[in-house]
Amino acid sequence: RRRERYFAINCGSIPEGTIDSELFGHEKGAYTGAIGESEGYFGVANKGTIFLDEVGELPMATQARLLRVLETGEYIRVGGQEIRKTDVRIVAATNVNMRKAISEGRFREDLYYRLNTIPIQMPPLRDRGEDILLLFRLFAMQMADKYRLPKITLTEEAKKMMLQYKWPGNVRQLKNITEQMSVLSEQREIGVETLRRFIPQDPESTELATINQPGQHSYESEREILYKILYELRGNIADLRRDVSTLRKQIDENRDLHDVASHFSSGFIDSAKEHVPAISSRDPRLSPYTPSAEEAVAEEIKPEQECLNLSDLGRQMVEKALERNNGNRKKAAQELGISDRTLYRRIKQYGLDKK
């Protein structure tokens, strides 16, 4: 196969809507803009090799198509019905933790085992020891040839610093720093002071990453933390809004009942006072212990109050207000000191609308 065609495909750079067409091809008119047929990489690379870089970024639908190709060598173009066959060698690479992606449902487990025929683990640059210095020498020679400058070298202290650095960007970061020092540094022998100007000195870059214990949850990005906070706030706000609405409704109902009851009681007492005859304290027929007019009124209304509950008081008050205003609900509501809506609700509650 080494003499056949070879294609390197970055799966993370192809949009999700067109990746199936790029890999497996499409028929004419399969979608808007498909003005002609396309073989796709699997059709063009028959008998050759396809390198799928960042394979962990593939959508779930594309993973199912890829699994069929790996198992049977058959695929169908987008918008087509004809089954086609291909014989392609697949090489895949990713920096995603595949075990975690499988547990989170972002990658198919059967596709992982189908791709994982001959696994090759590439350790991070910080774990490769003296390889850091060997790669630095290689990149230094490449930059010297590229820019036609003398090759840079490292002092012993600078070499120790290179070995102690975390290298979060791995080989790409090492190559970039070597190129910067080759172009920007006036000295060809790089010491610690010069190296510090090109290597970040923040704690996150100089300390090794911590490994989480099994069962612990780790936030790999700030986006996940923000989503969790926003989700909790949304639930708290919804509960608070519901509690406030319930409390407000209870307060309104209690206020309406209190207003109706107080207005009825004061009106009843005033009307009772009007019908009580004036009693002179000089009447010789009265004993020294004759009760006053207010006490007489209280004695008269006491039996009636005992037989009335709060609902009966409200009903009688609403009936009297409607009678005094000849059935005008708006005036009756103003007289009772309540809103029109509350009066309509009380009328319906007491069954007065059926009269």
Side-chain angles (χ1 to χ4, degrees), residues 42-54:
F42 279 93
V44 177
N46 190 24
K47 304 297 182 181
T49 304
I50 293 180
F51 173 55
L52 298 177
D53 193 12
E54 301 295 343

Side-chain angles (χ1 to χ4, degrees), residues 139-148 175 178-179 182:
F139 295 145
M141 289 187 295
Q142 292 178 352
M143 299 308 152
D145 295 339
K146 180 179 179 180
Y147 297 105
R148 300 182 183 277
K175 184 177 181 179
T178 306
E179 185 174 7
S182 299

Side-chain angles (χ1 to χ4, degrees), residues 221-246:
S221 63
E222 295 182 358
R223 181 181 299 178
E224 185 178 355
I225 299 176
L226 292 175
Y227 283 163
K228 180 177 176 61
I229 294 175
L230 291 176
Y231 181 79
E232 293 178 353
L233 287 177
R234 183 179 64 178
N236 295 337
I237 292 174
D239 295 341
L240 181 61
R241 186 183 294 111
R242 184 171 56 254
D243 295 341
V244 170
S245 177
T246 303

Side-chain angles (χ1 to χ4, degrees), residues 1-2 4-8 45-51 87-91:
R1 294 181 186 270
R2 63 181 182 177
E4 300 296 334
R5 306 191 68 174
Y6 168 81
F7 293 94
N46 190 24
K47 304 297 182 181
T49 304
I50 293 180
F51 173 55
D87 181 14
V88 178
R89 177 174 59 185
I90 299 295
V91 180

Side-chain angles (χ1 to χ4, degrees), residues 245 248-260 311 314-315 318 322 329-330 333 336-354:
S245 177
R248 183 181 299 164
K249 185 182 297 185
Q250 294 177 355
I251 292 175
D252 291 341
E253 292 179 356
N254 293 336
R255 184 187 295 113
D256 295 339
L257 290 175
H258 176 72
D259 294 342
V260 171
S311 178
R315 178 188 179 91
V318 171
L322 291 173
R329 296 182 178 183
K330 187 173 184 179
L336 293 173
I338 59 178
S339 62
D340 297 350
R341 176 180 293 182
T342 304
L343 178 60
Y344 295 157
R345 188 166 62 248
R346 296 305 177 192
I347 291 175
K348 187 175 181 180
Q349 177 182 353
Y350 300 143
L352 301 178
D353 55 341
K354 300 178 181 179

Side-chain angles (χ1 to χ4, degrees), residues 221-318:
S221 63
E222 295 182 358
R223 181 181 299 178
E224 185 178 355
I225 299 176
L226 292 175
Y227 283 163
K228 180 177 176 61
I229 294 175
L230 291 176
Y231 181 79
E232 293 178 353
L233 287 177
R234 183 179 64 178
N236 295 337
I237 292 174
D239 295 341
L240 181 61
R241 186 183 294 111
R242 184 171 56 254
D243 295 341
V244 170
S245 177
T246 303
L247 182 60
R248 183 181 299 164
K249 185 182 297 185
Q250 294 177 355
I251 292 175
D252 291 341
E253 292 179 356
N254 293 336
R255 184 187 295 113
D256 295 339
L257 290 175
H258 176 72
D259 294 342
V260 171
S262 60
H263 195 282
F264 176 79
S265 299
S266 59
F268 190 87
I269 293 176
D270 293 340
S271 60
K273 288 182 178 180
E274 294 177 357
H275 294 85
V276 174
I279 301 177
S280 175
S281 59
R282 298 179 182 179
D283 194 337
R285 293 174 297 177
L286 297 178
S287 63
Y289 303 98
T290 301
S292 62
E294 289 77 3
E295 294 175 347
V297 171
E299 291 177 359
E300 290 181 4
I301 66 174
K302 182 176 180 181
E304 185 175 358
Q305 286 179 338
E306 291 178 354
C307 64
L308 295 178
N309 55 27
L310 187 59
S311 178
D312 295 336
L313 291 176
R315 178 188 179 91
Q316 293 181 12
M317 190 60 202
V318 171

Side-chain angles (χ1 to χ4, degrees), residues 41-193:
Y41 287 112
F42 279 93
V44 177
N46 190 24
K47 304 297 182 181
T49 304
I50 293 180
F51 173 55
L52 298 177
D53 193 12
E54 301 295 343
V55 71
E57 305 296 333
L58 283 176
M60 295 298 292
T62 307
Q63 293 179 29
R65 283 175 173 261
L66 180 60
L67 179 62
R68 179 185 174 91
V69 175
L70 293 176
E71 290 183 348
T72 64
E74 298 177 349
Y75 68 98
I76 300 176
R77 289 180 179 178
V78 177
Q81 298 179 350
E82 180 183 356
I83 298 177
R84 299 174 178 270
K85 294 190 71 69
T86 185
D87 181 14
V88 178
R89 177 174 59 185
I90 299 295
V91 180
T94 182
N95 60 355
V96 176
N97 188 336
M98 299 304 293
R99 296 288 185 180
K100 185 175 182 181
I102 292 172
S103 64
E104 294 177 353
R106 294 185 288 110
F107 199 84
R108 295 176 62 103
E109 187 174 8
D110 48 3
L111 178 59
Y112 168 74
Y113 290 117
R114 193 66 183 82
L115 288 172
N116 195 28
T117 305
I118 304 177
I120 300 176
Q121 297 291 338
M122 294 294 294
L125 184 59
R126 61 175 174 268
D127 296 338
R128 294 169 64 177
E130 296 294 332
D131 289 350
I132 298 176
L133 302 180
L134 294 176
L135 290 171
F136 172 82
R137 291 172 55 187
L138 173 64
F139 295 145
M141 289 187 295
Q142 292 178 352
M143 299 308 152
D145 295 339
K146 180 179 179 180
Y147 297 105
R148 300 182 183 277
L149 294 171
K151 185 182 69 173
I152 60 174
T153 58
L154 296 174
T155 62
E156 292 300 324
E157 292 77 8
K159 290 180 181 180
K160 294 180 181 179
M161 185 176 180
M162 293 278 283
L163 295 175
Q164 293 174 356
Y165 185 58
K166 180 181 176 182
W167 298 108
N170 290 308
V171 178
R172 290 187 179 92
Q173 184 183 12
L174 175 60
K175 184 177 181 179
N176 177 262
I177 290 177
T178 306
E179 185 174 7
Q180 289 181 0
M181 291 189 295
S182 299
V183 175
L184 301 178
S185 178
E186 297 179 356
Q187 300 176 356
R188 294 294 91 185
E189 186 178 20
I190 306 301
V192 175
E193 296 299 328

